[in-house]
């Protein structure tokens, strides 16, 4: 069995824990092909993909733009390990269209958030950071307490292997709680280097914070000269072209990107105010580096995909229309079945919480969901070719390649749960 061979060479058969489906108690499909809204496993079975590489593929799998640019890239370059003209084009495009002063490219979301924290500490000469329970910022040590995503799914409150001395400088507040942030600043204000937040959370399931909460974070960071970091690894280029900054009309000091920014290839970035960015080496003394950072193949593909998103703003209304239809159809079928739920949706990402609560506003709310029901529904969906996230604490994503027919087919399967 391929899955047994996988398990003997890869821990749990995977390269990232959330792919193992351990919480569902089923074996994950093994894929070999993707196209548009679909994945095909090694037996040829077709799945409608609502994971979309965890939100990376907003145009769908193997879009024309992706293929065209990849073909161009492989006839022209591989990796320079030196400065390239495509890096200039990419950086200039992002900074201008995202209204940011400067950017540093890295290879993943984790590298981006880790760099943003180090940079904030170097810039402010302070130690502590505030993060929120249920937010996930990648697997850097300082974040691995009450994190969302896989850590929440597998109920690992604090990752083993992280020194407690590191976590002494991480203050965890409840998402959406102005009072808790205020209390943390009252106590430690002059030593808080940064507040890092998923401005719309997607890693405890989708949770949209109150606008006042986001405005308050901006205000208190100003007051104490702390750096406000919006982790837009998921929300960037998805909620709107300018992500949560456009949605709330609030500008942080630093932004982190990942996923969509690489157009389907591994990529991340930290960007923001010149005064802070210039603390990075080689201008400043905050050290950060990467052999593959700004790889020309990735830059070319990323630029091509982002250009499509920027120049065709109707893409976002198109996605909104499809996602609204999906939400309405889901609500109607769940009502018909007498299932209690809350759907949290922001643009083309959403989570169905199986819950008796009236709203899900934070980590504690999300944890009260009916996981047994979630597991039962999700197993049925996956078995019937609907590839949705295997955890209650993740988001499902639509792409431009999804159609009304895909939604209808998905609803038909929901009907048999
Ligand atoms: N930040 C957020 C909001 C994320 O959702 C993720 C990954 O899902 C990360 C950071 C880490 O990104 P990566 O998995 O590319 O390291």
């Amino acid at each position: 069995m391929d899955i047994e061979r996988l398990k003997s060479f890869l821990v749990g058969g995977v390269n990232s824990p959330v792919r193992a489906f351990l919480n569902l108690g089923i074996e994950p499909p093994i894929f070999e092909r993707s196209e548009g809204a679909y994945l095909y496993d090694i037996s040829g079975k077709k799945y409608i993909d609502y994971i979309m590489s965890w939100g990376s593929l907003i145009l769908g799998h193997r879009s024309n733009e992706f293929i065209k640019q990849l073909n161009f890239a492989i006839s022209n370059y591989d990796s320079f390990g030196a400065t390239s003209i495509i890096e200039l084009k990419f950086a200039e495009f992002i900074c201008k269209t995202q209204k940011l002063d400067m950017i540093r490219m890295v290879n993943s979301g984790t590298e981006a958030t880790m760099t943003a924290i180090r940079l904030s500490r170097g810039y402010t000469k302070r130690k502590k950071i505030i993060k929120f329970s249920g937010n996930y910022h990648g697997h850097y040590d300082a974040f691995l307490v009450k994190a969302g995503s896989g850590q929440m799914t597998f109920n690992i409150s604090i990752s083993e292997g992280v020194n407690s001395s590191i976590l002494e400088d991480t203050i965890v507040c409840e998402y959406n709680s102005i009072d808790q942030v205020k209390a943390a600043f009252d106590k430690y204000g002059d030593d808080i280097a940064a507040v890092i937040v998923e401005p719309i959370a997607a890693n405890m399931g989708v949770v949209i914070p109150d606008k006042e909460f986001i405005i308050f974070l901006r205000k208190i960071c100003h007051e104490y000269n702390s750096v406000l970091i919006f982790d837009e690894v998921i929300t960037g280029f998805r909620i709107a072209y300018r992500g949560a900054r456009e949605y709330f009309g609030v500008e942080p000091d630093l932004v982190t990107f990942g996923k969509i920014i690489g157009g389907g290839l591994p990529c991340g970035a930290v960007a923001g105010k010149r005064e802070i960015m210039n603390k990075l080496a080689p201008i400043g003394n905050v050290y950060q580096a990467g052999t593959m950072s700004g790889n020309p193949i990735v830059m070319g593909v990323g630029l091509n995909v982002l250009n499509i998103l920027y120049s065709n703003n109707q893409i976002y209304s198109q996605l909104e229309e499809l996602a609204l239809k999906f939400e309405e159809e889901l609500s109607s079928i769940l009502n018909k079945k007498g299932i209690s739920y809350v759907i949290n949706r922001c643009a083309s990402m959403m989570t169905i919480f199986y819950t008796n609560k009236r709203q899900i506003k934070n980590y504690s709310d999300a944890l009260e969901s009916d996981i047994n029901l979630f597991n039962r529904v999700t197993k049925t969906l996956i078995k019937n070719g609907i590839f949705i996230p295997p955890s209650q604490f993740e988001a499902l994503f639509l792409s431009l390649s999804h159609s009304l027919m895909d939604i209808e087919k998905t609803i038909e399967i929901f009907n048999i749960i």
Side-chain angles (χ1 to χ4, degrees):
M1 282 282 287
D2 292 303
I3 196 79
E4 294 312 321
R5 276 167 58 216
L6 268 166
K7 283 181 188 167
S8 60
F9 296 111
L10 293 174
V11 180
V14 294
N15 279 310
S16 193
V18 290
R19 300 177 195 167
F21 292 26
L22 286 184
N23 51 313
L24 291 185
I26 56 173
E27 302 293 4
I30 303 171
F31 295 111
E32 61 178 2
R33 198 163 71 78
S34 63
E35 181 143 29
Y38 312 117
L39 292 170
Y40 297 84
D41 74 11
I42 48 176
S43 71
K45 180 172 168 181
K46 179 178 173 180
Y47 295 78
I48 303 176
D49 182 11
Y50 292 107
I51 296 182
M52 282 285 145
S53 193
W54 304 92
S56 307
L57 302 168
I58 195 165
L59 299 182
H61 288 282
R62 298 173 58 240
S63 64
N64 290 339
E65 292 71 25
F66 174 88
I67 292 173
K68 208 164 66 189
Q69 185 59 32
L70 205 52
N71 281 336
F72 172 82
I74 55 179
S75 336
N76 285 279
Y77 38 70
D78 43 21
S79 174
F80 298 128
T83 302
S84 66
I85 191 69
I86 190 75
E87 278 175 288
L88 165 62
K89 287 185 186 160
F90 190 89
E92 192 171 28
F93 177 81
I94 299 263
C95 288
K96 285 190 172 157
T97 61
Q98 291 284 331
K99 304 187 184 153
L100 297 161
D101 293 344
M102 300 186 95
I103 191 162
R104 165 69 54 96
M105 304 310 305
V106 293
N107 303 290
S108 68
T110 300
E111 270 188 75
T113 52
M114 177 177 78
T115 302
I117 293 298
R118 189 182 305 137
L119 181 54
S120 303
R121 285 177 166 150
Y123 173 71
T124 57
K125 310 265 188 291
R126 298 174 181 176
K127 289 203 295 282
K128 295 196 183 299
I129 61 165
I130 293 182
K131 75 167 282 286
F132 297 94
S133 42
N135 281 191
Y136 177 68
H137 305 293
H139 63 91
Y140 173 46
D141 285 10
F143 301 136
L144 293 183
V145 47
K146 284 204 174 176
S149 189
Q151 218 180 319
M152 195 165 171
T153 306
F154 300 123
N155 197 18
I156 304 171
S157 176
I158 297 181
S159 168
E160 287 180 11
V162 175
N163 291 349
S164 53
S165 58
I166 290 173
L167 292 180
E168 271 166 26
D169 290 323
T170 300
I171 303 163
V172 184
C173 294
E174 187 76 275
Y175 196 60
N176 242 333
S177 170
I178 290 181
D179 288 347
Q180 288 197 13
V181 177
K182 220 182 242 166
F185 269 95
D186 281 347
K187 193 159 175 196
Y188 301 110
D190 295 335
D191 200 21
I192 295 176
V195 174
I196 185 164
V197 65
E198 277 188 74
I200 293 159
N203 285 297
M204 50 180 145
V206 171
V207 177
I208 306 170
D210 303 326
K211 186 168 181 185
E212 304 82 74
F213 173 68
I214 296 295
I215 291 173
F216 171 76
L217 294 183
R218 178 61 287 176
K219 191 169 139 280
I220 199 155
C221 284
H222 262 320
E223 219 172 282
Y224 283 86
N225 292 318
S226 304
V227 177
L228 178 61
I229 305 165
F230 277 6
D231 180 356
E232 298 234 44
V233 165
I234 284 188
T235 51
F237 312 98
R238 175 160 293 273
I239 299 310
Y241 180 74
R242 288 188 66 246
R245 285 155 297 136
E246 187 172 327
Y247 183 89
F248 288 118
V250 172
E251 296 297 327
D253 303 299
L254 292 177
V255 188
T256 52
F257 295 111
K259 302 189 192 266
I260 294 175
I261 199 172
L265 298 181
C267 191
V270 52
K273 293 191 173 150
R274 188 174 305 279
E275 185 191 348
I276 306 178
M277 292 298 293
N278 268 334
K279 292 287 172 199
L280 281 174
I283 302 297
N285 291 329
V286 175
Y287 199 74
Q288 188 281 333
T291 301
M292 288 289 168
S293 296
N295 172 276
I297 300 177
V298 181
M299 296 294 91
V301 170
L303 180 57
N304 221 23
V305 168
L306 300 186
N307 206 357
I308 299 288
L309 297 176
Y310 179 64
S311 357
N312 299 281
N313 223 265
Q314 83 283 2
I315 284 177
Y316 291 99
S317 36
Q318 228 171 299
L319 282 167
E320 170 64 28
E321 208 176 300
L322 193 69
L324 176 62
K325 173 86 179 148
F326 196 18
E327 181 187 346
E328 286 170 351
E329 298 269 330
L330 282 169
S331 298
S332 144
I333 194 98
L334 293 170
N335 289 339
K336 208 168 87 189
K337 291 193 162 285
I339 291 175
S340 304
Y341 66 94
V342 167
I343 295 182
N344 278 356
R345 178 176 74 84
C346 188
S348 54
M349 62 185 205
M350 74 171 124
T351 299
I352 310 162
F353 291 96
Y354 297 92
T355 182
N356 289 319
K357 291 185 89 72
R358 291 195 34 232
Q359 49 178 10
I360 305 292
K361 298 293 277 182
N362 56 35
Y363 182 77
S364 315
D365 291 345
L367 279 176
E368 283 185 45
S369 307
D370 182 344
I371 300 301
N372 288 332
L373 179 57
F374 172 88
N375 288 352
R376 187 166 67 74
V377 172
T378 305
K379 275 196 273 196
T380 306
L381 291 170
I382 293 175
K383 200 169 129 226
N384 286 282
I386 309 298
F387 196 58
I388 62 159
S391 162
Q392 176 69 95
F393 312 117
E394 302 283 358
L396 65 81
F397 297 96
L398 287 169
S399 76
L400 259 199
S401 60
H402 287 90
S403 67
L404 278 175
M405 266 167 62
D406 295 325
I407 306 260
E408 273 160 28
K409 167 88 186 149
T410 306
I411 297 296
E412 268 171 37
I413 307 294
F414 261 93
N415 209 13
I416 63 170
I417 58 178

